[in-house]
Amino acid sequence: MTQILHDTDKGREKPPLPARTRWAILAVILAADVLDLLDATITNIAAPTITADLGGGPGLVQWLGASYALALGVLLVPGGRLGDRYGRRRLFLLGLAGFVAASLACGLAPDPTTLVVARLAQGAFGALVIPQGFGILGATWPRDQIGKAFSLFGPAMGLSAVGGPILAGFLVDADVLGLGWRPMFLINLLLGGAALLAAARLLPRDPGDRTVSVDVRGAVLLTGALLGLLGGLIDGSAQGWTGGWTSRPLILLAIGLALFAAFCRRQRTAPHPLIEPTLLHNRGFAAGLALGIVAFAATAGLLYVLSLFLQQGLGRSPTGTALALIPLTIGIVIASIACHGLIHTHGRRLIHAGLLTLIAGCAYLTLLIHNSGTHTGTWSLVPPLLILGIGMGTCFGTVYDITIGDIAPAESGSASGSLNAVQQLANAIGAAAVTTVYFRTTGNTTHATTISLITVTAALTLCLPLVGLLPRKAQKNEHH
């Protein structure tokens, strides 16, 4: 992850902060990361309710998740470099304030377009906040104690993954003050506002380094490219592909491809590209990057389709949907914890096992839904969802650690930042692509879900040959 830095004053280390202050700073950074995770997942549960209120149809369902992940993914690396250039405290406060304001805009959005723009802004400001946390911890915690701080991120994120969707479902069903789905965004004013006040009081000032370069042109080109590609894909799935080469979806796709070509060219010529070209020349890193894109995209789409099936096919409420998905989250947490101690002994074999488990879980779930349809019972979903969660936790808890296994130490920070950004972009692509299959499949909800699951299974199967190209083991003594 981000390299750990130590503040110095004229060559001498500053005296360490009091333990109480360090723990308070950690709490603030954890709160920001939890907010990011909550807002990345809440629309999985609430999308049908939001579209029923605002309209927008399938296109809004697809954009709700994709827009946030797209902005977050594109701007994570530039956000980290902006923090290096202008100071991590300054960027953390700016990003958190913007995130709270964007959450207010989401909660007050009168129409689908406003909501999608606000979700893009949420993701963009989140990308200013998240990269600063590890650098701030590295500057405030002694090296021999930093492991204690990092060790809390896994449990906190696991609890948030379980509790976030349940909280979102509860807020939607509770219909607080007759506001429907809106309180799940407006609650960020309370949570984010408290974190902002604490951060302003606690975070140490740092001047930044104005010599650090930020590839703004590359970020703009990538943003435009992905907006065009996702826009064309979503517009085509919602409106159809009629009209020949002059149809709006194909024009958007063409614009997206042209901008992506310009982005690739920019990466070869920029002095500080978003992804270092030398990393792409590393076979293991390139294979892990490709595997991560496909696998994360497939599972992001899977989670969206499962939520749609539970609500549109089985008639579950948002809270009931979140509760039904708990076995999947439990599987992720259990497998992630179990694999933490195995990664240095079993290496890439864990990824192979995780993918096979994921494929088995998808096949199980596909047969269950195909045979039972809208009569599928909640308890009958527990085994396949638990298997899926174990597969996700085994594979995704290790894939990027293995991917950077033979990266030079000097490039590990850049590699980790790039992989985290690509994961978010894969989430955006998957949310749009798999739901496109779902909405464009003719017939009932059961048939659409079955075809979507088959698509996910096929994508995961394509990842299997890439495992053999990965480094055999992870690097030791990495902090995450």
Side-chain angles (χ1 to χ4, degrees):
M1 191 64 74
T2 305
Q3 292 180 336
I4 297 176
L5 305 177
H6 293 275
D7 286 341
T8 58
D9 183 14
K10 296 182 180 180
R12 295 172 296 174
E13 286 196 4
K14 292 182 178 180
L17 295 174
R20 181 180 298 179
T21 302
R22 295 200 305 269
W23 284 106
I25 290 172
L26 174 61
V28 169
I29 292 170
L30 275 173
D33 280 18
V34 166
L35 277 178
D36 164 66
L37 180 59
L38 293 180
D39 281 81
T41 58
I42 54 177
T43 54
N44 290 20
I45 299 298
T49 304
I50 295 173
T51 54
D53 180 34
L54 294 184
L60 179 58
V61 171
Q62 294 170 288
W63 273 117
L64 280 173
S67 55
Y68 183 91
L70 184 152
L72 182 65
V74 169
L75 297 175
L76 265 178
V77 174
R81 291 179 181 167
L82 285 170
D84 293 338
R85 181 178 175 87
Y86 296 107
R88 297 188 186 94
R89 180 183 188 274
R90 181 181 291 117
L91 266 292
F92 189 96
L93 295 176
L94 174 63
L96 195 51
F99 186 89
V100 171
S103 298
L104 176 62
C106 288
L108 300 179
D111 54 64
T113 300
T114 303
L115 180 55
V116 170
V117 171
R119 286 286 284 170
L120 284 166
Q122 262 193 320
F125 283 112
L128 297 183
V129 175
I130 301 305
Q132 317 311 329
F134 288 94
I136 292 171
L137 289 179
T140 54
W141 280 70
R143 180 179 290 274
D144 60 348
Q145 298 183 39
I146 192 70
K148 295 179 182 178
F150 286 127
S151 67
L152 293 180
F153 277 82
M157 297 301 104
L159 290 173
S160 301
V162 175
I166 296 175
L167 176 63
F170 173 78
L171 289 174
V172 172
D173 287 336
D175 194 21
V176 180
L177 300 177
L179 294 174
W181 52 270
R182 298 177 187 275
M184 72 178 193
F185 289 113
L186 297 176
I187 196 174
N188 286 346
L189 274 67
L190 176 62
L191 301 178
L196 181 62
L197 291 175
R201 179 179 179 182
L202 293 168
L203 297 186
R205 298 181 182 276
D206 58 307
D209 180 0
R210 298 307 170 93
T211 64
V212 173
S213 297
V214 183
D215 185 19
V216 176
R217 188 186 307 175
V220 170
L221 287 172
L222 183 58
T223 302
L226 290 174
L227 283 173
L229 293 171
L230 291 176
L233 184 64
I234 293 172
D235 197 37
S237 68
Q239 308 297 332
W241 299 91
T242 58
W245 291 103
T246 59
S247 65
R248 185 171 65 182
L250 290 178
I251 291 175
L252 287 172
L253 287 174
I255 293 173
L257 288 172
L259 290 175
F260 187 73
F263 167 75
C264 292
R265 181 178 180 181
R266 172 65 182 173
Q267 293 306 285
R268 292 196 300 268
T269 59
H272 298 281
L274 298 182
I275 299 180
E276 294 292 341
T278 55
L279 292 174
L280 298 179
H281 296 154
N282 182 296
R283 188 189 71 171
F285 181 85
L289 193 68
L291 189 154
I293 290 173
V294 177
F296 278 110
T299 51
L302 167 67
L303 294 176
Y304 245 99
V305 166
L306 281 176
S307 178
L308 291 171
F309 174 72
L310 286 166
Q311 294 183 67
Q312 297 179 348
L314 303 185
R316 300 289 189 271
S317 67
T319 301
T321 297
L323 291 173
L325 293 173
I326 285 180
L328 185 145
T329 308
I330 290 175
I332 293 174
V333 174
I334 291 173
S336 297
I337 294 173
C339 290
H340 181 73
L342 299 174
I343 187 170
H344 294 299
T345 55
H346 290 71
R348 67 188 184 192
R349 287 179 291 180
L350 289 175
I351 301 174
H352 195 260
L355 285 173
L356 290 175
T357 306
L358 263 173
I359 292 169
C362 282
Y364 187 165
L365 189 62
T366 303
L367 290 173
L368 175 64
I369 292 176
H370 176 72
N371 292 329
S372 302
T374 55
H375 300 291
T376 304
T378 299
W379 287 108
S380 66
L381 288 170
V382 171
L385 290 178
L386 185 61
I387 293 171
L388 283 170
I390 291 172
M392 290 181 189
T394 302
C395 180
F396 299 154
T398 57
V399 61
Y400 284 164
D401 290 330
I402 300 296
T403 295
I404 63 172
D406 58 6
I407 291 294
E411 293 182 319
S412 60
S414 175
S416 295
S418 300
L419 291 171
N420 288 326
V422 166
Q423 178 181 340
Q424 296 298 329
L425 295 177
N427 290 339
I429 295 167
V434 179
T435 50
T436 293
V437 175
Y438 178 88
F439 288 120
R440 293 303 296 172
T441 301
T442 57
N444 54 32
T445 303
T446 299
H447 183 58
T449 304
T450 301
I451 297 300
S452 299
L453 289 173
I454 292 172
T455 303
V456 169
T457 305
L460 293 171
T461 303
L462 292 175
C463 294
L464 289 173
L466 294 172
V467 177
L469 302 177
L470 298 175
R472 293 183 180 276
K473 300 289 177 64
Q475 289 181 353
K476 293 184 178 182
N477 301 322
E478 287 295 319
H479 294 296
H480 305 281

